[in-house]
Amino acid sequence: MNNSKPIYVTKPFLPPLEDFIPYLEKIWERRILTNGGPFHEQLEVDLAEFLGVKHLALVSNGTLGLVVAFQTLHIAGEVITTPYSFVATAHSLIWNDLKPVFIDIDPATCNLDPAKIEAAITPQTTAIMPVHCYGTPCDVAAIQRVADVYGLKVVYDAAHAFDVRVKGESVLCHGDLSVMSFHATKVFNTFEGGAIVCPNAKTKQRIDYLKNFGFVDEVTVTAPGINAKMNEFQSALGLLQLKHLASAVEARKKIAQTYLEALRAVPGITCFATAPDVTPNYSYFPILVGPDYPLSRDGLYQKLREQKIFARRYFYPLISNMPMYRGLASAAPANLPVATRIAEQVLCLPIYPDLSAQQVETILELIVARK
Ligand SMILES: *Cc1c(COP(=O)(O)O)cnc(C)c1O
């Protein structure tokens, strides 16, 4: 048993504390704590520029961002989505009284398979909610083609896709809306937080009303909105985090490259390839533990745990296997063979800027040992 400190799958990134003090002093001085304060306004502008998107609206977390996104577009009925994601993806539909319809995923990307969309469309279908799983871009062109033919909206769960680019362009510009999460565990964090990327000022206006109870002015409420506002503390932290993002992603990239080089030759272990035109954010490092590896996925998971290395089985169990979803016809494992297999083989290895080269070596030695 090793006596070193536990290694978790991620460790929240924070800038030096002293750098945050001036922001806090400003907040104390101004006494503007929330409701679209100056740090909130500045973060919206700076983030849109940083990400290369036209408009975005900050929200208090990614889940409420998804809930508000469906309200923004007046979605009703059925939404086609993936079972291979964090549970908030499907929960955001339930909170809007929408019915999730699960389709299988593409084994190369773990994203919903666009070829499976058409067969899942019914007269009640109004939207598609793909997830850029692990920050790997969805086949946005194929998804949009089906959406256009059937007049469906597309809401991307882009919780993993902060600053992911394809041919230099932000992947967040596709579909009708894209929703990011700035939760503590994500590449860019504001403790809790998120943002909805939208194509025009009018849509942003509607989101801004919806995230503040539907208030248009002091006496006018246009919609049954919710409280999904990002406060000044979170916004200030976001402004500071943004300055460190490039170096944080660079540190993640080094770790990902070390893992990839060491693991690609290990029989029974499969790593995922990044397409040459994609600029990733290295938010996760998933591997598949296949039948040619001497341990099962859970065997390797346990072996790492015994050494206080807490890799995570993202995403297992599938959302479609959770009690509130498994009664749906589309949740049947026979409908989702690829997602079912990958959920049983996947293990996400620790990856975060502070993970040392020595820690990466320790993790790799345990996996490469194959026993
Ligand atoms: C983190 C996450 C969310 C939820 O975001 P929160 O900010 O934690 O509410 C939604 N979808 C996916 C895929 C996520 O990973």
Side-chain angles (χ1 to χ4, degrees), residues 61-63 66 85-86 88-89 131 157 159-160 181-183 186 192-193 284:
N61 61 66
T63 306
L66 289 168
S85 182
F86 181 60
T89 305
V131 180
D157 179 338
H160 301 173
S181 165
F182 306 156
H183 182 255
K186 307 301 208 266
E192 295 264 8
Y284 297 86

Side-chain angles (χ1 to χ4, degrees), residues 151-163:
L152 307 176
K153 300 284 188 196
V154 182
V155 174
Y156 282 100
D157 179 338
H160 301 173
F162 189 88
D163 202 28

